[in-house]
């Protein structure tokens, strides 16, 4: 079995952009959908070929492997398709094709006319990288957002200027067909028009008939003080433009916060390890501890402080990003005992005197436990 040229299957050139590939796939999938070709037994196979080609070419990594040589790509596992664990990971594309159908509301026919009405634009997720300091203090930043906007040349209709889309003859503009399934009356998207309810005969050249253009838009986003890594900030109405006058989607900004070499974040608290000399630990001491965001706090170590003992300094942590009261988390100080690597002569004498003075067996407990 010979491997077909996947580019040919999708009717695109080897240089085609991801967008070209997506567009061509949507068009072909619509044309060759088995439901639209009930009389043609070969349609299903053709549809599968198209899907398969898209699975690979829409994935930049798989596409690269494929470009480097079908042999390498298909591996030693024998010829044919169903290869390399290919799967439709771009399901959004198919559901998109059918215009967001499939909810219960559709089964019960509640929103069968949804396609004629306006539709909310896509929600977009964008990531913003923040320094430790900006996340702590809060910052107003600009985020690049890839959004879809209505094409200006055709006013978002997808039809070439001077023409207009025509009502789909298959569904009469409803965008859906009803199918009786006994108890339920099923609604399913019209395959002819892809659920749009209209058909474009002469596509607009600017947007290739999609009515939409991808654009990078800069959106100003206010990051609250104390933002955590992975926090989601919703900016309503700053996603993709709606369809047919529908509301715009939302922008979800996800924060990525760089690590700090000293302060580790734990919820709204920060943890800091602070070296403590064995004299301070034994006798007790007042020490200065660095504070996230600058400055220091004073901490009283009690006499007999053990290694790894933790102390909580209330309110010296991160501002609670979700709270309005200006509340802050705590700073957790972990004492780390430092033993001198070298001793001065005088120090050595003192410690030797101490060793004689103190007949202590620190391993007594240990051996007791071993024996029992
Ligand atoms: Zn239709
Ligand atoms: Zn256009």
């Amino acid at each position: 079995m010979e491997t077909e040229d996947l580019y040919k299957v999708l009717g695109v050139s080897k240089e085609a952009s991801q967008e070209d590939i997506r567009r061509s796939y949507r068009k072909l999938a619509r044309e060759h959908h088995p439901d639209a070709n009930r009389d043609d037994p070969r349609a299903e196979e053709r549809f599968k070929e198209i899907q398969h080609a898209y699975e690979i070419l829409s994935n930049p990594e798989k596409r690269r492997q494929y470009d480097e040589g079908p042999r390498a790509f298909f591996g030693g596992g024998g010829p044919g398709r169903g290869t390399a664990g290919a799967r439709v990971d771009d399901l959004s594309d198919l559901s998109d094709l059918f215009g967001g159908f499939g909810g219960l509301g559709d089964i019960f026919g509640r929103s069968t006319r949804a396609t004629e009405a306006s539709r909310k634009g896509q929600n977009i997720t964008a990531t913003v990288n923040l320094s430790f300091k900006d996340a702590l203090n809060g910052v107003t930043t600009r985020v690049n957002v890839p959004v879809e906007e209505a094409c200006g040349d055709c006013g978002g209709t997808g039809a070439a200027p001077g023409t207009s889309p025509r009502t789909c003859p298959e569904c009469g503009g409803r965008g859906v067909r009803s199918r009786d399934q006994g108890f339920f009356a099923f609604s399913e998207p019209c395959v002819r028009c892809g659920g749009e309810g209209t058909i474009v005969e002469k596509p607009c050249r600017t947007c290739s008939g999609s009515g939409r253009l991808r654009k990078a838009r800069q959106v100003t986003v206010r990051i609250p003080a104390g933002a955590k890594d992975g926090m989601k900030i919703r900016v309503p109405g700053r996603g993709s433009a709606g369809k047919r006058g529908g509301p715009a989607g939302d922008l979800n900004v996800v924060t990525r916060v760089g690590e700090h070499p000293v302060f580790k974040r734990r919820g709204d608290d920060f943890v800091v390890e602070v070296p403590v000399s064995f004299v301070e630990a034994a006798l007790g001491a007042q020490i200065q501890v660095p504070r996230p965001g600058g400055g220091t706090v004073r901490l009283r170590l009690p006499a007999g402080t053990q290694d790894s003992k933790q102390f909580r300094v209330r309110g010296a942590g991160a501002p609670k990003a979700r709270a309005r009261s200006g509340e802050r988390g705590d700073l957790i100080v972990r004492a780390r005992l430092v033993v001198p690597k070298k001793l001065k002569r005088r120090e050595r004498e003192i410690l030797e005197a101490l060793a004689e003075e103190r007949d202590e067996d620190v391993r007594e407990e240990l051996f007791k436990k071993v024996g029992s």
Side-chain angles (χ1 to χ4, degrees):
M1 186 162 147
E2 210 178 288
T3 311
E4 268 191 82
D5 185 340
L6 299 182
Y7 290 97
K8 249 190 223 160
V9 171
L10 286 186
V12 293
S13 74
K14 281 214 153 63
E15 288 72 40
S17 69
Q18 290 302 108
E19 181 59 27
D20 291 338
I21 288 170
R22 196 174 79 98
R23 198 177 292 140
S24 185
Y25 163 72
R26 287 166 65 100
K27 185 169 161 287
L28 289 172
R30 206 174 283 171
E31 273 170 25
H32 295 276
H33 196 281
D35 281 355
N37 300 275
R38 292 241 162 95
D39 312 333
D40 185 357
R42 290 205 49 211
E44 192 175 350
E45 212 204 314
R46 175 88 184 111
F47 184 69
K48 279 184 185 157
E49 280 176 351
I50 292 163
Q51 267 193 310
H52 171 73
Y54 181 67
E55 279 159 18
I56 288 161
L57 296 186
S58 64
N59 178 321
E61 178 57 25
K62 287 180 190 165
R63 182 179 178 184
R64 191 186 54 75
Q65 289 178 0
Y66 175 76
D67 286 346
E68 276 170 14
R71 197 175 303 244
F73 179 76
F74 288 107
R81 40 182 65 92
T83 51
R87 68 196 170 87
V88 185
D89 30 36
D90 202 354
L91 279 174
S92 63
D93 241 288
L94 270 177
S95 59
D96 211 35
L97 181 67
F98 294 141
F101 281 79
L104 273 176
D106 298 316
I107 290 175
F108 293 103
R110 253 187 278 142
S111 52
T112 47
R113 297 185 70 84
T115 50
E116 272 186 75
S118 57
R119 210 184 287 160
K120 193 184 174 192
Q122 253 187 333
N123 295 339
I124 307 279
T125 300
T127 304
V128 63
N129 292 309
L130 300 169
S131 68
F132 177 84
K133 200 169 149 242
D134 283 347
L136 185 63
N137 299 328
V139 67
T140 299
T141 184
R142 304 187 72 115
V143 182
N144 271 319
V145 186
V147 292
E148 274 195 344
E149 286 181 347
C151 169
D153 287 2
C154 61
T157 63
T163 71
S164 52
R166 144 176 111 82
T167 304
C168 171
E170 183 84 21
C171 62
R174 292 176 62 235
V176 285
R177 308 184 306 181
S178 297
R179 201 164 45 150
D180 239 342
Q181 290 271 309
F183 186 68
F184 295 115
F186 257 106
S187 286
E188 55 181 24
C190 171
V191 173
R192 176 86 185 269
C193 62
E196 292 291 329
T198 51
I199 286 176
V200 170
E201 273 166 344
K202 208 173 157 220
C204 162
R205 292 174 73 167
T206 313
C207 61
S208 304
S210 68
R212 327 270 300 156
L213 290 174
R214 278 225 168 261
K215 274 193 183 161
R217 193 207 282 156
Q218 287 218 316
V219 177
T220 303
V221 180
R222 168 97 197 116
I223 309 291
K228 281 176 217 173
D229 184 59
M231 192 169 130
K232 198 161 115 179
I233 298 159
R234 193 169 149 263
V235 190
R238 301 316 299 269
S240 283
K243 285 182 181 173
R244 293 192 181 97
D250 301 331
L251 168 65
N252 293 310
V253 176
V254 178
T255 56
R256 288 278 162 262
V257 181
E259 291 217 344
H260 192 278
V262 168
F263 299 105
K264 303 287 174 233
R265 184 98 185 222
R266 194 196 285 161
D268 288 318
D269 299 337
F270 280 108
V271 181
V272 60
E273 293 200 335
V274 174
V276 169
S277 78
F278 78 129
V279 178
E280 287 170 328
L283 299 177
Q286 286 264 17
I287 62 167
Q288 299 283 338
V289 174
R291 187 184 177 137
T296 57
V297 282
R298 266 147 57 108
L299 179 71
R300 247 207 71 72
L301 291 179
T305 293
Q306 301 295 303
D307 183 51
S308 291
K309 170 86 182 159
Q310 294 192 153
F311 303 90
R312 188 174 282 269
V313 184
R314 302 239 172 242
K320 294 186 178 172
R322 298 286 187 210
R324 285 186 187 181
S325 54
E327 269 179 87
R328 298 180 81 102
D330 303 333
L331 178 63
I332 295 164
V333 181
R334 182 179 293 145
R336 296 314 311 264
L337 234 57
V338 180
V339 175
K341 287 182 179 147
K342 262 187 168 175
L343 292 172
K344 291 181 197 141
R345 204 166 122 197
R346 172 89 179 115
E347 288 170 338
R348 173 175 295 277
E349 284 167 9
I350 293 169
L351 288 177
E352 281 171 353
L354 180 66
E356 272 175 41
E357 186 71 22
R358 203 175 162 90
D359 65 355
E360 175 193 50
D361 185 356
V362 289
R363 287 168 291 279
E364 193 182 339
E365 278 295 309
L366 175 75
F367 281 101
K368 255 192 211 158
K369 282 183 195 158
V370 171
S372 67

